[in-house]
Amino acid sequence: QVQLVESGGGLVQPGGSLRLSCVASGSIFSINVMGWYRQAPGKERELVARVSRLGRINYADSVAGRFTIYRDNAKNTVYLQMNSLKPEDTAVYYCNSEPPINDYWGQGTQVTVSS
């Protein structure tokens, strides 16, 4: 059973940067695709970025060019580097496999972009 713990969120001004981390208690090497998701108040959870075990990456149009996802299988960690943050990026961010597995959802980490 894999447990995922997200961290790195916080309050940041528009244009700022944050790096999120997702540490797995078990090995993520067997998980082909890992993703970062977010859920803003009143909205459904959405996939913002995903990375395969072999390094194939996809981004949602809303974050392409600003966010970078990468994984370190040796450290069982997936990262999301977020630059040029906008108020509309405000959300709780989660990691999970893609497609997601219900048992893997963690508490998420809050990202708030505000001046």
Side-chain angles (χ1 to χ4, degrees):
Q1 180 76 8
V2 173
Q3 290 186 321
L4 303 172
V5 179
E6 303 91 347
S7 64
L11 173 63
V12 63
Q13 292 186 343
S17 298
L18 285 173
R19 188 182 78 159
L20 307 183
S21 300
C22 168
V23 180
S25 61
S27 174
I28 63 170
F29 183 76
S30 62
I31 301 175
N32 183 31
V33 182
M34 289 293 297
W36 277 98
Y37 301 77
R38 68 185 180 187
Q39 187 167 21
K43 295 186 177 181
E44 294 193 356
R45 196 173 301 179
E46 62 172 346
L47 176 70
V48 297
R50 61 183 182 182
V51 56
S52 75
R53 188 169 61 224
L54 298 181
R56 182 170 181 171
I57 293 172
N58 299 97
Y59 297 100
D61 289 344
S62 58
V63 307
R66 301 187 297 120
F67 290 11
T68 302
I69 186 172
Y70 54 105
R71 64 193 283 176
D72 186 333
N73 291 327
K75 295 183 178 179
N76 294 321
T77 303
V78 183
Y79 302 93
L80 186 68
Q81 177 66 45
M82 306 187 296
N83 298 328
S84 302
L85 283 161
K86 304 175 180 180
E88 51 264 43
D89 295 319
T90 296
V92 179
Y93 284 71
Y94 305 85
C95 66
N96 203 324
S97 63
E98 204 285 314
I101 297 174
N102 281 338
D103 288 348
Y104 288 3
W105 290 116
Q107 295 300 308
T109 186
Q110 175 71 48
V111 172
T112 303
V113 185
S114 176
S115 56

